[in-house]
Amino acid sequence: MCPGSAAAGKARTGSGWALPCPRTAAAACQILRTDREARGLASVDYAERVNRAVDHIVRNLARPLRLEEVSAAAGFSPFHFHRIFKTLLGETLQQFVKRQRLERALYLMSHAPGRSLTDVALDCGFSSSSDFSRSFRQHHGVAPSLFDLEAFRSTRRDAFERILTTQAGSPLLTALPAGQNPDGFEVVLRELPARTVAYIRVHNPYREGAVQAACERLLAWAIPRGLADGQWLGYMWDEPEIVELAKCRYDVALVVDDFQPAGEIGRFEFSPMRVAELVLRGDMALEARAFDWLYKTWLPRSGHVPDHQPAFEAWIGRPFAHGNAHFELACQLPVQPG
């Protein structure tokens, strides 16, 4: 739901890896001497390139990911990339990938409960069920088979609701119990073609006004290009009942035919997908109930399981056209046959 009302270029030496050009190495060492200096290089260009690396990780989470491959997607040498990635995201590449896999596992355990833990492990890029169990235990303290998923999600939801209800104008969100549909939600299954989007990524999107500000910047980019009245999307890569709010990633996006990414405007290509869609017009509380109903009531009875895509808000018209109190959009949950 919408927040705020996700060994190229080096040579082997006897002591390890080194940049092949001494002058390049010297310059890199000068640039990266301290974290403080590296933070000074956290430019829009660097952020855009790290976003490309994150997009590559998301697309390929189910298979092994090597530093050289991910750094190449960002256009950095492995040596340079490792430091910049940690500076911008606060995690090493290895930490980020492992966290993404564990969070994806929790998502599947929540919304595809019929799937075996071995299948979950392999779908999330772990080499085996024992590798998954070991990583899960290191992170959560217990084996996945013993993990109290409901208690974990409840704690995260409480934190999520506290953030939203302390923001001016945000309504109290009440979870919709499974099986209930007081709003009369109805789903239509749609087949969507491949889509290319221009996006601005918002890290820690539950900061008040953060998403709306990103929408305004993307709108300012789109208007002179004649794109502002196309299909606007918002999508959360991370589920706030699973992922710490400060680490959630939300993209504000606009469907486009083709363009060259530049600065903070990134490019992502979504493959064709099937979505369970319901259209709503109302406040944030209504949207929260809509996604609760999709996940808790419709999905378990549908014969479908979640696809490895974010859930979308497909705006009717421009985003925030009615301010923060009223939304007109289609909730789209990507699914595949169970």
Side-chain angles (χ1 to χ4, degrees):
M1 59 178 291
C2 177
S5 144
K10 61 186 180 181
R12 185 71 172 176
T13 71
S15 58
W17 291 108
L19 290 170
C21 173
R23 292 177 60 190
T24 304
C29 289
Q30 176 65 31
I31 290 170
L32 299 172
R33 183 164 294 137
T34 67
D35 282 338
R36 184 174 182 178
E37 291 172 357
R39 279 194 294 272
L41 289 172
S43 64
V44 169
D45 176 64
Y46 276 25
E48 186 270 331
R49 289 208 257 171
V50 168
N51 281 341
R52 293 207 309 262
V54 171
D55 292 343
H56 183 82
I57 292 166
V58 168
R59 288 190 187 101
N60 298 283
L61 197 62
R63 66 173 182 80
L65 289 162
R66 299 173 64 245
L67 170 62
E68 292 81 2
E69 171 191 344
V70 180
S71 62
F76 285 122
S77 72
F79 178 85
H80 196 180
F81 172 76
H82 190 272
R83 189 71 171 271
I84 293 299
F85 188 92
K86 187 175 189 299
T87 297
L88 291 184
L89 294 189
E91 299 172 284
T92 67
L93 176 64
Q94 182 181 18
Q95 290 169 337
F96 180 81
V97 171
K98 180 174 284 189
R99 180 171 65 82
Q100 291 296 306
R101 286 176 169 152
L102 289 170
E103 289 166 355
R104 175 65 182 168
L106 286 178
Y107 178 84
L108 292 177
M109 290 162 64
S110 297
H111 302 304
R115 189 170 297 185
S116 72
L117 290 178
T118 297
D119 287 342
V120 168
L122 298 178
D123 285 348
C124 296
F126 292 97
S127 60
S128 65
S129 57
S130 59
D131 178 33
F132 170 50
S133 184
R134 180 171 55 254
S135 296
F136 195 98
R137 188 189 297 272
Q138 288 172 348
H139 191 80
H140 292 290
V142 296
S145 59
L146 301 176
F147 186 69
D148 191 340
L149 186 56
E150 288 303 315
F152 177 83
R153 291 180 63 91
S154 178
T155 299
R156 289 292 169 90
R157 186 179 181 97
D158 288 346
F160 172 57
E161 292 188 358
R162 283 196 301 272
I163 288 291
L164 293 186
T165 55
T166 57
Q167 295 179 4
S170 294
L172 179 64
L173 304 183
T174 302
L176 187 66
Q180 295 190 17
N181 186 14
D183 302 285
F185 296 130
E186 295 183 2
V187 160
V188 174
L189 288 173
R190 294 185 59 196
E191 304 292 336
L192 299 182
R195 295 170 293 172
T196 298
V197 301
Y199 73 83
I200 292 179
R201 179 154 299 154
V202 185
H203 293 274
N204 190 9
Y206 291 100
R207 292 168 291 129
E208 187 170 4
V211 168
Q212 191 164 1
C215 286
E216 291 169 358
R217 297 198 302 278
L218 189 56
L219 185 62
W221 174 88
I223 287 174
R225 292 167 174 81
L227 301 172
D229 293 314
Q231 177 61 67
W232 288 82
L233 300 171
Y235 46 92
M236 177 70 76
W237 287 105
D238 309 290
E239 189 172 0
E241 289 188 19
I242 290 175
V243 180
E244 181 183 344
L245 295 181
K247 293 182 177 179
C248 286
R249 294 163 296 133
Y250 180 92
D251 289 357
V252 174
L254 180 61
V255 177
V256 296
D257 289 330
D258 194 22
F259 77 105
Q260 289 298 318
E264 70 170 339
I265 312 296
R267 172 191 175 113
F268 195 89
E269 296 181 2
F270 288 102
S271 58
M273 66 181 73
R274 173 181 291 183
V275 298
E277 178 182 272
L278 63 85
V279 176
L280 61 85
R281 292 173 171 82
D283 60 13
M284 187 181 294
L286 179 65
E287 186 181 351
R289 292 198 301 275
F291 277 110
D292 274 348
W293 180 79
L294 277 171
Y295 279 113
K296 295 178 182 178
T297 299
W298 180 85
L299 188 61
R301 303 173 181 178
S302 69
H304 291 79
V305 295
D307 198 356
H308 192 184
Q309 304 283 359
F312 294 89
E313 299 165 314
W315 298 86
I316 300 171
R318 296 183 182 183
F320 294 100
H322 306 281
N324 291 317
H326 180 85
F327 301 108
E328 297 189 0
L329 51 84
C331 300
Q332 295 176 338
L333 175 63
V335 294
Q336 56 185 332

